[in-house]
Amino acid sequence: MEYDFSYYLKSAAYVKERINFTPEIGIVLGTGLGELANEIEDAVVIPYPEIPNFLVSTAPSHAGKLVSGKLAGRHVVCMAGRFHYYEGYSFEQLSAPVRLFKNLGVEKVILTNAAGAVNAAYQPGDVMIISDHINLMGVSPTRGRNLSEFGNRFFDVSDLYAWKLREIAKQCAEGSGLTVHEGVYHFFTGPQFETPAEIRAVRVLGADAVGMSTVPEALTAAHCGLPVLGLSLMTNMAAGMIENRPVGGGEVEETAQRVSVLFRAYVKSILTKM
Ligand code: HPA
């Protein structure tokens, strides 16, 4: 299914009716950051199913909501609950959230996620500022007819994770109480975690972390000219990194919960500077 620009404008028009400011920063909250949405002041909460032409959640009990308001002194719009390829959406559909941000007037995007550490020097609980990504899955959110109102058919992704925003994130790392690295995020479609052989392979390719999100949103942002800050929370060592230790089993949620307070404070400190 291909949509035209007016399809996306309709979602934004509905949200604009509900909020009386132009959000400056769009945030997608990943595992471990969800509670950040509760800290937004003067919040306008819009459940996703209310937004016309938006994505409908595959898990109705976790419908998700768009929360707009003030956070760390900045006007933000926040996706509390994200959509993933493994849920059955196409990459093209996954462009909707960032296209909504763009049409609301957002100027910068923060994407957060939980990820598995591929770099042996990383530990669960560490944060990685995404310097770049690898996407060998043969997918792009801008496949199909190009919507030139958003951007060009062929677009540059060589500074996708904007250098300037990464510098701010690095400055804020000091005194955050977190161990913060900078590295490359490798996208896998999931929903299965990776095999140990896949992890060995992507380490050779230059990956420091693996995950199942962020790349669709980051590419959409690049297409419509929005600078991105990507932050990955290492919730576990990737498959095979620790001998005889399966991935999952609650570790992802446990680690996210453990560092959630520090991670949220870190994101807020970045917000004040960007
Ligand atoms: N692999 C992929 N996605 C993830 C992981 C992982 O090990 N941990 C959290 N999200």
Side-chain angles (χ1 to χ4, degrees):
M1 183 70 182
E2 291 205 351
Y3 305 120
D4 59 12
F5 187 62
S6 64
Y7 180 88
Y8 296 98
L9 282 180
K10 200 169 169 196
S11 315
Y14 180 83
V15 176
K16 277 184 182 172
E17 285 261 303
R18 301 279 306 271
I19 60 177
N20 57 3
F21 60 89
T22 301
E24 204 188 338
I25 301 164
I27 310 173
V28 179
L29 298 177
T31 309
L33 261 187
E35 284 171 46
L36 198 61
N38 301 331
E39 295 184 35
I40 294 178
E41 297 157 39
D42 304 323
V44 177
V45 180
I46 310 177
Y48 296 149
E50 267 186 36
I51 305 173
N53 295 352
F54 204 58
L55 300 178
V56 177
S57 179
T58 57
S61 56
H62 305 100
K65 57 205 179 182
L66 191 76
V67 185
S68 311
K70 262 199 151 177
L71 187 62
R74 310 304 289 271
H75 281 125
V76 300
V77 54
C78 200
M79 294 271 301
R82 69 142 53 90
F83 300 98
H84 302 85
Y85 183 77
Y86 61 71
E87 294 173 74
Y89 303 107
S90 66
F91 244 59
E92 292 86 331
Q93 283 178 300
L94 294 174
S95 67
V98 171
R99 287 183 164 172
L100 174 61
F101 286 172
K102 177 72 180 179
N103 284 337
L104 290 174
V106 157
E107 289 163 25
K108 292 164 196 163
V109 175
I110 302 180
L111 305 174
T112 67
N113 63 52
V118 174
N119 187 320
Y122 293 8
Q123 284 184 2
D126 291 358
V127 171
M128 184 185 86
I129 300 166
I130 304 179
S131 60
D132 206 346
H133 76 228
I134 301 173
N135 167 26
L136 303 177
M137 298 291 124
V139 281
S140 170
T142 63
R143 179 171 178 266
R145 182 160 71 89
N146 184 55
L147 297 184
S148 56
E149 295 90 341
F150 284 119
N152 294 331
R153 167 83 298 179
F154 301 105
F155 55 101
D156 181 46
V157 288
S158 52
D159 189 36
L160 205 174
Y161 301 93
W163 178 83
K164 266 193 183 166
L165 298 181
R166 286 190 272 135
E167 286 304 304
I168 294 169
K170 276 187 240 174
Q171 283 166 21
C172 293
E174 264 172 63
S176 67
L178 293 162
T179 302
V180 180
H181 312 275
E182 190 176 25
V184 173
Y185 179 90
H186 191 293
F187 175 74
F188 277 101
T189 56
Q192 70 285 348
F193 291 113
E194 299 71 28
T195 65
E198 284 165 344
I199 295 303
R200 284 194 300 275
V202 300
R203 186 172 323 106
V204 172
L205 294 180
D208 296 294
V210 289
M212 308 173 195
S213 69
T214 302
V215 164
E217 296 131 1
L219 289 172
T220 306
H223 181 245
C224 63
L226 291 175
V228 174
L229 176 67
L231 297 173
S232 293
L233 175 61
M234 300 301 119
T235 51
N236 55 283
M237 298 310 289
M241 297 286 296
I242 302 171
E243 224 175 309
N244 296 322
R245 171 135 179 201
V247 177
E251 191 188 8
V252 170
E253 293 75 17
E254 272 164 37
T255 310
Q257 195 54 43
R258 173 165 64 81
V259 293
S260 145
V261 171
L262 290 180
F263 194 32
R264 278 185 271 146
Y266 178 51
V267 172
K268 283 189 281 181
S269 73
I270 293 171
L271 272 173
T272 62
K273 296 222 164 87
M274 62 187 273

